Amino acid sequence: MENEKNDLNIKKEKMFSILTGVLAGFINGLFGGGGGMMVVPMLSKLLRYPAKVSHATAILIILPFSILSGLLYAYNGNCKLSVLFPAGIGVIIGGVLGALLLKKLSSKWVVIIFSVVMAVAGVKLLLF
Amino acid sequence: MEYVWFIVSGVVAGIFGGMGMGGGTFLIPLLTIFNGVGQHTAQAVNLISFIPMAVIAIVIHLKNKIIKFDKILLIIIPGLFSCFFGFYLSKNLTGNILSKVFGGFLIALSVFQFISSIKKDENTKL
């Protein structure tokens, strides 16, 4: 019985892993982003990774998708360097700031602010 | 002058990203709403600007040994295929439609995030 249970769990884990990858990859290719926001909860809830491990592993998962998508989009002529360079520099600066700030702000508020801002942005994009 | 707004958008998105809050997802609407950049361009910029940050973050996480490798190939390899599929779909949608679908996705994500953060709160209170 024990062995059967273990086998089932292993199969479940494999299926969840594949599902996570398929969804994240699809979102990454379709939207050029947002995959991470799906991967983290899937890793922590379906595969039961601890929170920090979910976040860290998610980056390693999204990276190859982003490289592939990035190449595809660039090949398709979508990447304007005049936008990429300033935005890219901003992202690096912001990323360092954010990593430093992370220690100081309470996560609860960060998530709330972020959710509200995302919702507003989403509504604007959807309706206008 | 435009480029100043692009830098600011990047910084704001990067701050959220640096906090592990999916800043990329934020960069796209910032670029498209305020700067008149097309949806496909914004997506491409987001993808490519993510790469250097991700590499640095991964090096740090590897040092701290908080990356779990055991299922990684099982996750990444099928994902690469569906990534192609997603891209192909996006290629065949106009910027306007893709933008709206992305908007809907953001709303769904924000609701989901909001609910799960409230749930977390309730759990910790118990």
Side-chain angles (χ1 to χ4, degrees):
Chain A
M1 268 296 280
E2 262 296 309
N3 278 333
E4 284 173 15
K5 245 199 198 172
N6 276 334
D7 274 347
L8 188 60
N9 282 335
I10 292 176
K11 274 195 183 145
K12 258 199 208 170
E13 277 188 6
K14 287 189 175 171
M15 297 223 36
F16 285 151
S17 303
I18 295 174
L19 180 66
T20 302
V22 168
L23 270 179
F26 178 69
I27 297 284
N28 189 279
L30 177 62
F31 292 134
M37 311 227 63
M38 301 202 52
V39 171
V40 172
M42 289 183 89
L43 290 180
S44 56
K45 291 188 182 142
L46 292 180
L47 292 177
R48 305 192 182 277
Y49 290 1
K52 271 194 191 172
V53 174
S54 298
H55 277 93
T57 310
I59 302 181
L60 181 59
I61 291 170
I62 302 292
L63 180 62
F65 299 156
S66 297
I67 293 176
L68 176 60
S69 298
L71 286 173
L72 290 171
Y73 274 84
Y75 185 70
N76 202 36
N78 288 126
C79 199
K80 284 193 192 153
L81 293 181
S82 57
V83 181
L84 177 64
F85 285 149
I89 290 173
V91 166
I92 293 180
I93 295 173
V96 173
L97 278 177
L100 294 173
L101 277 175
L102 179 61
K103 295 186 183 171
K104 302 191 176 171
L105 286 177
S106 107
S107 325
K108 186 177 92 172
W109 279 110
V110 171
V111 171
I112 290 178
I113 294 173
F114 191 59
S115 303
V116 170
V117 174
M118 260 210 289
V120 170
V123 169
K124 182 127 207 293
L125 282 176
L126 189 59
L127 297 178
F128 298 107
Chain B
M1 264 308 282
E2 260 193 338
Y3 70 87
V4 175
W5 295 115
F6 296 154
I7 295 179
V8 170
S9 301
V11 171
V12 173
I15 288 178
F16 280 106
M19 295 199 216
M21 296 263 91
T25 319
F26 203 34
L27 179 63
I28 294 170
L30 274 178
L31 289 177
T32 56
I33 292 176
F34 297 110
N35 300 297
V37 171
Q39 179 73 15
H40 290 94
T41 303
Q43 292 183 190
V45 167
N46 183 42
L47 284 164
I48 296 178
S49 58
F50 171 75
I51 294 171
M53 278 299 294
V55 171
I56 296 171
I58 288 171
V59 168
I60 296 175
H61 294 326
L62 281 173
K63 279 201 183 144
N64 294 331
K65 304 203 177 174
I66 50 175
I67 295 186
K68 211 167 188 308
F69 285 99
D70 65 333
K71 296 278 179 309
I72 205 101
L73 287 179
L74 207 52
I75 298 174
I76 292 180
I77 294 177
L80 288 172
F81 287 99
S82 64
C83 185
F84 250 115
F85 184 61
F87 166 73
Y88 197 69
L89 188 59
S90 122
K91 201 163 95 115
N92 286 308
L93 293 172
T94 61
N96 273 331
I97 293 181
L98 189 58
S99 191
K100 288 187 197 291
V101 177
F102 184 70
F105 174 66
L106 281 188
I107 294 175
L109 263 189
S110 65
V111 168
F112 173 71
Q113 249 205 337
F114 196 69
I115 292 176
S116 61
S117 74
I118 291 182
K119 265 197 190 158
K120 231 200 247 172
D121 238 21
E122 285 175 358
N123 281 337
T124 51
K125 275 183 190 156
L126 289 172

